[in-house]
Amino acid sequence: MSQPTIESILQEKRLFQPNPEFSQHAHIKSLDEYQQIYEKAKADPQAFWAELAETELDWFQKWDTVLDWQPPFAKWFVNGKINISHNCLDRHLTTWRKNKAALIWEGEPGDSRTLTYAQLHREVCQMANVFKQLGVQKGDRIGIYMPMIPEAAIAMLACARIGAAHTVIFGGFSAEALKDRLVDAQAKLVVTADGGFRKDTIVPLKPQVDKAIADNGAPSVENVLVVQRTKQQVNMEPGRDHWWHDLQAGASANCPPEPMDSEDMLFILYTSGTTGKPKGVVHTTGGYNLYSHITLKWAFDLQETDVYWCTADVGWITGHSYIVYGPLSNGATTLMYEGAPRASNPGCFWDVIEKHGVTIFYTAPTAIRAFIKMGEHHPKARNLASLRLLGTVGEPINPEAWMWYYRIIGGERCPIVDTWWQTETGGFMITPLPGATATKPGSATLPFPGILADIVDLDGNPVPHNEGGYLVVRHPWPGMMRTVYGDPDRFRRTYWEHIAPKDGQYLYFAGDGARCDEDGYFWVMGRVDDVVNVSGHRLGTMEVESALVSHPAVAEAAVVGKPDDLKGEDIVAFVTLEGNQKPSEELASALKQHVVKEIGAIARPGEIRFTDSLPKTRSGKIMRRLLRNLASGQELAGDTSTLEDRTVLDKLRGGA
Ligand code: PRX
């Protein structure tokens, strides 16, 4: 942890009351109702969650214990039997939803597809049978490395159906990053595509898989299943590589869902932390199903007729909880878009909203800032009247972006639901309930019922209103991560030991600083650990440093974030070179490219600064706080007395 005190400077006074007409039809209709539910959940969290689990989900067998809490390890709905693909598909088939659109998909080149619940069920069952035919068994892991096409969701649901855990690897990750994740998860099968369409180019995926598993790089991988999307020529290794459409053609559409234990692993999702190696966040079945379901239903006030679009990629937790599992478990219509705003069509998002009559739109502040730059004439040229609710996630939203979103996209009629949560939390933690909560631009507002959030100091003592501190959660919740895959000790160290347990109570802390105002509203200020948030994507500074140091010219590297108008934060890398190397523009670009190769384009440093040495403490720890000040052009604040060599700072200031 790098900051002993956290200073909060944002003061935002505007307040937006829920629209009475919206509230009237909402699931949660007033602040009073929210407060009642919140208090009830606080008084008896287990009874609260048990009642929801009973009413909102189908169980093959009921649990016998709601929560088994051996801090920091939680088990929810112990001995309950459930299958999330059953809750997302089968249970809707016996209702009128059978022929309702489950998934509306829009490809970037303009092709589109709609799958009803019955059709999606059929394809999921077929793929589940294909997986079995390829030797996948309950408990195995499957890597999914896909563009944003329906088959990505189908593959996830097919895994869940047979009890194999998926690990979805974002399609923008490099072959190296893919390999690390496949190896850590010991994936038996990789599901991929020849490539995908994004920003008017073809993003090749199968060649990256080939690279990742070449020379026995990921020895656990036995088979590769390839969706034909772009029709580019790809290498198909006989016996190992199979076309999705070939195997689907011969597969039965009858595949009953495997009754899973509530605590069986549903998926692993890798996320960055403070060490060089990404951690595999483990989510399990029953609690995650309930949590992604109910948070979406209440916070986005999901109604039967909604067309709901979340612009995230399935490779991130937002795609898992709020493109696939949450919406489908609720029987909603979820929209998936392959492409991104691009020079040839900066207004493509607004086209999609108009074409499909999207009612709920969920995106990230970095995207909103990009829309502002592109100009309001794009959204204004489209009919966005179908929208009734807007959501945001990924980083603190600056009030100007919030106001623009509210005025230009929402037509001053749509509530904005700013959802604070993390890969680790499985679903929304702090969020308005749009029929109940008045919103303040820039605040994620109040905790979801059942979530006991607080702001504390390092000793676990609550801090007064409007004073910065560490955002913690006091009681386990069903959607929480269960462990770090293969490393329970790291789970304990990372999330439960930074803040001392207080009066025997463990506090969950995952790295954000925040303050709470006099109305109890939470204002998240950002990460306080060695994690940068670039365009809403979490990157560990150590990860980027390891990538840089793996280049032969680099002796040492220190990576920090600096504020960026568009991306929120950008990466600045301070690099010292091996003795025989000279700084140059070419070397700087080569190093950026090297990071792209090691991790992926999302981690490309915006700036490389060569330096003779890095500021370190006497014990050899790099003083990133000083580098952060330097990178953002600020005065060097705080204590520098622990610095080993004071001349280093002068050299760095001089732009060495
Ligand atoms: O710093 C917080 C920021 O994103 C981090 C979680 O990143 P990740 O696990 O990749 O999940 C992103 C999508 C859930 C948090 O620790 N963050 C996320 N949402 C918000 C946010 N910061 C402020 N406001 C938010 N609404």
Side-chain angles (χ1 to χ4, degrees):
M1 213 154 315
S2 41
Q3 267 170 288
T5 55
I6 302 164
E7 217 174 294
S8 170
I9 43 166
L10 191 69
Q11 287 294 337
E12 169 63 52
K13 296 280 176 226
R14 283 170 287 204
L15 188 69
F16 292 80
Q17 293 294 342
N19 172 335
E21 222 212 311
F22 188 104
S23 300
Q24 205 186 342
H25 302 286
H27 290 298
I28 313 292
K29 296 177 171 34
S30 66
L31 192 60
D32 267 0
E33 190 181 349
Y34 159 77
Q35 279 163 345
Q36 273 171 27
I37 301 174
Y38 184 84
E39 290 305 325
K40 184 176 142 194
K42 187 174 171 186
D44 191 348
Q46 297 191 29
F48 170 73
W49 292 117
E51 188 185 329
L52 285 171
E54 182 105 50
T55 50
E56 297 288 326
L57 301 181
D58 272 9
W59 295 81
F60 301 134
Q61 178 188 304
K62 200 177 157 178
W63 56 90
D64 42 49
T65 308
V66 180
L67 169 65
D68 172 3
W69 178 223
Q70 314 284 338
F73 300 100
K75 290 183 181 155
W76 282 90
F77 310 115
V78 181
N79 291 328
K81 299 276 181 262
I82 188 167
N83 186 297
I84 196 169
S85 95
H86 166 87
N87 276 304
C88 287
L89 300 168
D90 305 53
R91 65 165 167 165
H92 305 309
L93 301 188
T94 52
T95 72
W96 69 271
R97 290 191 192 122
K98 180 176 178 188
N99 297 317
K100 174 179 176 174
L103 183 68
I104 298 177
W105 171 76
E106 183 77 19
E108 191 176 89
D111 43 347
S112 70
R113 233 183 123 189
T114 297
L115 287 146
T116 64
Y117 273 94
Q119 290 168 329
L120 186 59
H121 174 262
R122 183 182 164 78
E123 296 214 13
V124 168
C125 288
Q126 286 179 317
M127 255 328 112
N129 281 325
V130 167
F131 291 173
K132 284 188 195 168
Q133 187 192 322
L134 293 174
V136 177
Q137 292 172 356
K138 184 171 169 174
D140 286 342
R141 272 82 53 215
I142 297 187
I144 298 180
Y145 184 64
M146 297 274 260
M148 285 288 287
I149 54 177
E151 288 80 356
I154 293 168
M156 291 163 76
L157 290 159
C159 288
R161 196 161 188 87
I162 62 172
H166 52 71
T167 181
V168 185
I169 298 116
F170 171 56
F173 276 125
S174 67
E176 279 297 318
L178 171 63
K179 179 172 85 181
D180 291 346
R181 287 155 177 77
L182 294 176
V183 168
D184 190 79
Q186 296 284 295
K188 205 166 178 184
L189 169 71
V190 179
V191 186
T192 188
D194 45 5
F197 295 101
R198 201 173 158 81
K199 297 197 178 185
D200 292 329
T201 55
I202 286 179
V203 180
L205 293 172
K206 176 64 169 54
Q208 305 283 20
V209 174
D210 291 343
K211 256 190 240 164
I213 63 181
D215 306 323
N216 220 14
S220 58
V221 176
E222 293 169 5
N223 290 286
V224 180
L225 191 59
V226 188
V227 177
Q228 192 169 44
R229 167 69 185 133
T230 60
K231 303 211 162 68
Q232 297 286 103
Q233 180 79 33
V234 291
N235 158 54
M236 294 292 281
E237 193 82 15
R240 186 196 72 184
D241 299 347
H242 318 268
W243 287 111
W244 173 291
H245 55 266
D246 282 348
L247 299 195
Q248 186 183 18
S252 153
N254 178 17
C255 181
E258 190 68 32
M260 301 301 291
D261 193 275
S262 176
E263 279 300 324
D264 278 338
M265 182 160 72
L266 177 64
F267 63 84
I268 309 171
L269 190 55
Y270 287 86
T271 189
S272 296
T274 49
T275 71
K277 192 169 163 272
K279 34 181 194 277
V281 170
V282 170
H283 282 286
T284 57
T285 308
Y288 174 83
N289 191 165
L290 176 63
Y291 200 68
S292 54
H293 172 103
I294 197 66
T295 46
L296 184 67
K297 180 171 174 178
W298 286 355
F300 281 3
D301 187 46
L302 206 55
Q303 303 286 345
E304 207 60 83
T305 50
D306 277 317
V307 177
Y308 157 74
W309 179 21
C310 164
T311 67
D313 191 281
V314 285
W316 310 116
I317 190 70
T318 312
H320 285 56
S321 301
Y322 299 121
I323 295 178
V324 181
Y325 293 117
L328 296 176
S329 178
N330 277 288
T333 298
T334 183
L335 190 144
M336 193 172 176
Y337 180 51
E338 184 186 33
R342 51 206 182 271
S344 67
N345 187 0
C348 61
F349 275 17
W350 322 124
D351 284 339
V352 172
I353 291 176
E354 181 169 339
K355 175 172 173 189
H356 295 287
V358 171
T359 57
I360 301 177
F361 179 62
Y362 187 31
T363 195
T366 184
I368 298 166
R369 290 191 297 267
F371 302 143
I372 298 175
K373 270 217 164 124
M374 290 174 216
E376 59 186 56
H377 56 285
H378 294 297
K380 281 193 165 158
R382 275 79 170 186
N383 182 353
L384 304 182
S386 58
L387 289 172
R388 66 179 200 92
L389 185 144
L390 303 174
T392 154
V393 62
E395 58 179 305
I397 181 166
N398 42 315
E400 306 75 62
W402 195 102
M403 287 307 300
W404 187 91
Y405 199 27
Y406 182 72
R407 282 192 300 108
I408 306 299
I409 307 306
E412 300 185 22
R413 128 193 119 251
C414 304
I416 295 190
V417 178
D418 178 352
T419 58
W420 177 84
W421 61 295
Q422 308 174 304
T423 306
E424 293 87 342
T425 70
F428 309 151
M429 298 293 278
I430 298 180
T431 174
L433 303 184
T437 319
T439 52
K440 303 182 185 185
S443 169
T445 77
L446 303 170
F448 195 80
I451 300 304
L452 306 183
D454 207 349
I455 314 277
V456 300
D457 62 21
L458 270 183
D459 297 321
N461 301 308
V463 303
H465 284 324
N466 286 317
E467 220 165 84
Y470 302 100
L471 176 47
V472 296
V473 184
R474 293 189 178 279
H475 190 274
W477 65 100
M480 67 194 274
M481 75 181 282
R482 298 301 194 261
T483 190
V484 171
Y485 187 65
D487 198 348
D489 215 47
R490 189 170 173 198
F491 173 61
R492 180 195 296 276
R493 279 196 319 272
T494 311
Y495 301 103
W496 304 92
E497 285 184 352
H498 274 300
I499 313 264
K502 190 85 186 138
D503 307 324
Q505 194 184 39
Y506 273 71
L507 300 178
Y508 167 82
F509 171 63
D512 279 350
R515 76 178 161 96
C516 210
D517 70 15
E518 54 288 352
D519 300 324
Y521 277 47
F522 284 77
W523 298 79
V524 176
M525 283 135 44
R527 305 289 304 193
V528 294
D529 53 7
D530 293 327
V531 167
V532 283
N533 189 332
V534 181
S535 300
H537 300 313
R538 243 165 99 169
L539 291 162
T541 51
M542 281 280 287
E543 238 175 293
V544 183
E545 286 164 11
S546 311
L548 284 164
V549 174
S550 72
H551 189 283
V554 175
E556 202 172 22
V559 163
V560 295
K562 78 163 187 194
D564 182 274
D565 279 354
L566 207 59
K567 300 177 184 173
E569 278 188 287
D570 198 4
I571 292 175
V572 179
F574 292 84
V575 171
T576 61
L577 295 174
E578 292 289 351
N580 57 349
Q581 298 287 331
K582 291 267 164 303
S584 69
E585 285 287 316
E586 292 72 47
L587 185 54
S589 347
L591 293 182
K592 289 182 189 174
Q593 208 37 49
H594 183 69
V595 175
V596 173
K597 180 179 147 276
E598 292 292 310
I599 305 176
I602 50 169
R604 182 200 308 269
E607 196 184 328
I608 304 262
R609 289 209 202 172
F610 295 108
T611 170
D612 288 342
S613 44
L614 291 165
K616 288 188 189 160
T617 62
R618 284 181 196 108
S619 59
K621 198 167 181 301
I622 295 173
M623 294 181 77
R624 287 204 178 70
R625 176 171 53 82
L626 299 180
L627 293 175
R628 265 196 294 272
N629 290 152
L630 278 171
S632 52
Q634 293 165 352
E635 278 303 304
L636 295 180
D639 185 17
T640 54
S641 59
T642 52
L643 197 60
E644 192 212 5
D645 174 3
R646 303 191 52 81
T647 63
V648 171
L649 280 188
D650 300 327
K651 286 188 203 149
L652 278 164
R653 270 204 209 95

